Each structure stands twice: as C-alpha cells, then as structure tokens.
Amino acid sequence: MTESQELSMDLPVIDLDVFLHNPRDSVEVQAECVKAANALITYGALVLHDSRVSEDDNTTFLDLLEDYFAQPEEDLKKDERPELSYQIGVTLENTEKPKCAVDEPCLNVIERLAPSERPLDIKGHEPDPKCRFFWRMVEAPPYETQFPGLNADNITPDAPHIKERWGPVMNQWGTSMKNAVEGLTQMAAVGLGLPADTFKDAGRYGPHLLAPTASDLQKYGKVNTILAGFHTDLNFLTIHGRSRYPGLHIWARNTGKKIPVKIPQGNYLLVQAGKQLEHITGGLIKAGFHEVVVNESTVKVINDRKEKFPNRPLVRISSTFFWHLSSDYDLVPIPELKEKAKEVRAAQFNLGKDEGEEVEYPALKVGEQVSNELRHIALMAK
C-alpha cells in the first residue's frame, strides 16, 4: 500500500454467519477468515455481524444497568470488592486510572499522532469518572488456578427491583456476546494460518467478564468531559453492543486517525484487540487505543432522551464484554506470527509510519500479565 492509498475510516464488517453456516474449507469461509485477521492486523478493530444476537436483549440489559447505577452510592458500595482488585462486582467512579496518563510508551503513541487526531488531554487527568460492574461468564477449570483472586464468585445486587432480573438478563446478553466473540477467535485463528480452536481452547477457562461501564451524565454531561481516558484493554478481545449515547473514539492502528464509532442497528457488535492478543501474536495485531468522551453528539442524545424519557436515569452504559485467555495459560508469542509481525513493522517503517520502539513480549502466565496491568491502572495494590 502506498502513502497515497489512504485506509478507509469505516471499520471492516465481518460476517460470522458465513463461518457458522458453511463448510470450514469453503472458499467463502476461508476468505472471510482472512478478512477478519487482516482487519485486526490493519485496524485492531472490526464490526462483527452475528444474526443470533438480539438488539432487544441489549435494550433489556441497558435498562437494567441504568436502574442499577441510579441507586444511591451507599447501596452500590455493598457490591464493591477492592480486596479482589475490583475484578468482581462494582467499581465506583474516580477509582480506575487511565494507564496512559503515566505510561511513557503510551504517551509516545499520542505524541506521534497529528495534533488534530490526539485524544483529549489525560496528562493531568485524575481517575476516570466512570463506574463499572464485573459479572463473570466462565467455565470452571478442572484444576486449581494459581490466580484465585482473578476467578472469584459473582455478586448479585440486593435491591428488590433489581435482584430478580439480574442473573437472567446478565447471562442472556453476556452469553450472546461471548458466543459471538468466541466465533471470531476461531475466524481470526484460521485467517492467521492457525488451527481454528487455537485461541478458543487457550481461553476456555478464562475469567471472561460482562463489564458494563456507567457514566452519570447529570454530573458529567459537558462537552469534552473525559469519561474513560485514552487506553488499551488488557484482555484478548473486547466486544461491545450499541450504547445509547455516542462518545467512543478509537484509533485504528494504521491510520493515525481518530474514528468516532458507529455500530449499525441490529445484529452488529464492535470488537477490539486487547493486550493478550497483541502478546500472543508478537505484536502482529496491536491492542487498539480508545477513549470515551462527551461530544456534541452525546449532548444531542442527552437532550433527546430527557424529552422522550423524562423518568429514565441519564446514565451512559457501555455494553461491554472482556474475553480473556485462561489465567494459568502460558502467554508466549507464536513464532510464525512473531516473524510476520517483524515484516509488517518493517513495511510500515518503509511507508514512513514510525511505530516507536520495538516491544518485547516475555513469556509469562496470563494471570501475571493481568495482575501487572491492574497495578498500572490502580485497581490492584502494588
């Protein structure tokens, strides 16, 4: 690709239905898998179509989480577990710090962006004014994990108007997103020249998390408020349903451009690469940077919802699921992908695209990698 051939700002749309309903060795499936792998290499993100996904389930989920986060803080605090590094239950606002605020390689990424394409300034940014809830969606391993704190039991809120709905709604929507993202792990593996179940098997016992975030737009509804500062995700793949409020920006790896995310209505989900996928591919696929901010479009939707739904909480819920590799899995770059990563890096450099210093990906357990990242964002004691 020459410098004059600018990449599209529209993320590639990958059709999981093609993979699910056709023979694995068919031309259509192989082509769609290569398209998926190339989308992750080129953009670090893609839009996934899965006809099994119901927009109604997402709507029910968003309603439930709005009700939950509209509760008084003293009720929410009952579901907080700082002793487990907030890896289950609720994390209240102004707890999680954006890693990039203090991380030199990340600040260098921002420095290499054109000024007009940079995120909102996070250097003086305090912890994010967002809340989060972690609900685990896991298959218990047939062995004793070395990382029990990352694999704790779920917490169900006590409030009567929430308790009965909680488990069924969380599990219904969480299962939809988990099934979709696991299908994509298979497609990406095939597209990278690996056996289809390479990543799926590595994440079979992962501490997967349905992980909605919540931002109080009554308090934090002004334009240019940072709700989640510029960062990457520490897990393998992150999958999102549609939020009611815009404000998510992503930086596709090979564009240097800030892209406002728009997920089509219906059976579509946004998927982003995380740090575990970057590590296992030796940097061939890079974890995608993103931020959530209040912009003019957010304010428009705030005003629309005030008018149409005056009795509903003004809370921005992100419909987010973190898919992880198993905590006890040995995280080591796959040799053939590590070699390809070097080729891609050299090709980028020849096009005048500096990706900064080469990153080392040492062998370690996934649970160690997660713990290291949690310390960076102030969720785990150092």
Side-chain angles (χ1 to χ4, degrees):
M1 187 183 72
T2 66
E3 287 182 86
S4 60
Q5 292 175 304
E6 286 295 324
L7 283 166
S8 168
M9 289 298 99
D10 293 324
L11 293 176
V13 178
I14 305 302
D15 193 348
L16 183 57
D17 289 0
V18 170
F19 181 76
L20 295 175
H21 302 306
N22 291 288
R24 292 277 174 93
D25 59 356
S26 68
V27 172
E28 295 91 341
V29 166
Q30 293 296 312
E32 199 70 11
C33 290
V34 169
K35 183 181 173 186
N38 286 342
L40 290 170
I41 293 168
T42 304
Y43 291 90
L46 53 82
V47 173
L48 184 67
H49 175 255
D50 180 356
S51 62
R52 301 171 300 177
V53 171
S54 163
E55 183 73 27
D56 288 345
D57 288 344
N58 186 35
T59 298
T60 303
F61 169 79
L62 294 174
D63 285 343
L64 173 65
L65 270 295
E66 284 179 0
D67 291 342
Y68 173 76
F69 283 107
Q71 294 182 102
E73 186 172 309
E74 58 266 27
D75 290 340
L76 296 175
K77 279 190 82 67
K78 295 173 187 172
D79 301 330
E80 200 175 35
R81 297 293 183 275
E83 71 277 11
L84 296 175
S85 305
Y86 301 93
Q87 291 307 286
I88 206 71
V90 77
T91 306
L92 295 182
E93 62 186 49
N94 301 317
T95 301
E96 183 178 334
K97 292 182 178 177
K99 180 182 172 184
C100 284
V102 293
D103 186 62
E104 191 171 342
C106 188
L107 292 172
N108 290 340
V109 168
I110 296 172
E111 195 66 32
R112 288 195 298 273
L113 293 169
S116 61
E117 302 298 336
R118 289 176 185 166
L120 289 181
D121 187 19
I122 58 168
K123 289 180 188 173
H125 185 43
E126 294 303 310
D128 289 330
K130 70 171 190 285
C131 302
R132 190 192 291 286
F133 198 100
F134 276 164
W135 178 259
R136 289 200 318 130
M137 305 281 305
V138 300
E139 180 181 343
Y143 51 80
E144 190 170 336
T145 177
Q146 295 177 41
F147 305 94
L150 302 178
N151 294 269
D153 292 335
N154 274 328
I155 293 165
T156 298
D158 265 342
H161 69 296
I162 289 167
K163 188 173 185 176
E164 296 306 315
R165 292 185 286 158
W166 190 263
V169 171
M170 298 290 274
N171 289 329
Q172 176 74 24
W173 183 236
T175 298
S176 289
M177 290 208 286
K178 185 170 186 258
N179 288 342
V181 76
E182 284 184 346
L184 180 64
T185 69
Q186 294 176 295
M187 293 185 75
V190 170
L192 291 168
L194 304 171
D197 291 333
T198 301
F199 300 139
K200 187 178 177 184
D201 286 349
R204 179 174 176 181
Y205 305 115
H208 314 301
L209 293 163
L210 180 57
T213 60
S215 303
D216 184 345
L217 296 174
Q218 296 275 26
K219 286 166 70 175
Y220 304 111
K222 290 184 179 175
V223 171
N224 289 340
T225 300
I226 300 172
L227 302 177
F230 188 72
H231 67 287
T232 56
D233 292 337
L234 61 85
N235 51 297
F236 189 84
L237 285 171
T238 300
I239 187 163
H240 303 269
R242 278 163 50 84
S243 173
R244 286 176 171 152
Y245 299 88
L248 174 62
H249 296 146
I250 69 169
W251 280 260
R253 174 185 183 176
N254 291 342
T255 66
K257 304 286 187 186
K258 177 166 65 176
I259 303 174
V261 171
K262 293 176 184 172
I263 304 175
Q265 283 193 310
N267 322 103
Y268 293 90
L269 301 158
L270 172 72
V271 182
Q272 290 180 281
K275 281 289 188 182
Q276 291 169 11
L277 180 52
E278 178 175 332
H279 201 115
I280 203 170
T281 63
L284 175 60
I285 295 169
K286 291 280 193 181
F289 284 97
H290 49 287
E291 70 175 1
V292 181
V293 301
V294 177
N295 57 27
E296 299 287 355
S297 299
T298 321
V299 172
K300 183 178 183 302
V301 176
I302 290 171
N303 292 332
D304 285 349
R305 285 192 66 83
K306 275 182 181 176
E307 190 176 319
K308 291 176 184 171
F309 306 100
N311 298 319
R312 290 299 301 160
L314 271 179
V315 181
R316 184 193 189 278
I317 303 294
S318 75
S319 186
T320 301
F321 187 100
F322 294 138
W323 196 87
H324 280 259
L325 298 179
S326 305
S327 300
D328 299 272
Y329 182 78
D330 291 311
L331 188 57
V332 183
I334 296 169
E336 57 266 40
L337 300 185
K338 187 178 178 181
E339 283 307 306
K340 191 173 178 188
K342 289 180 179 175
E343 294 169 17
V344 170
R345 180 180 167 82
Q348 286 290 97
F349 187 79
N350 290 337
L351 288 173
K353 294 183 177 177
D354 177 15
E355 294 199 329
E357 291 184 25
E358 193 164 353
V359 179
E360 291 297 318
Y361 299 99
L364 75 171
K365 293 283 187 187
V366 168
E368 293 176 81
Q369 175 261 341
V370 171
S371 298
N372 292 341
E373 293 280 340
L374 291 176
R375 291 186 189 100
H376 263 295
I377 58 177
L379 294 185
M380 180 180 277
K382 296 188 178 181

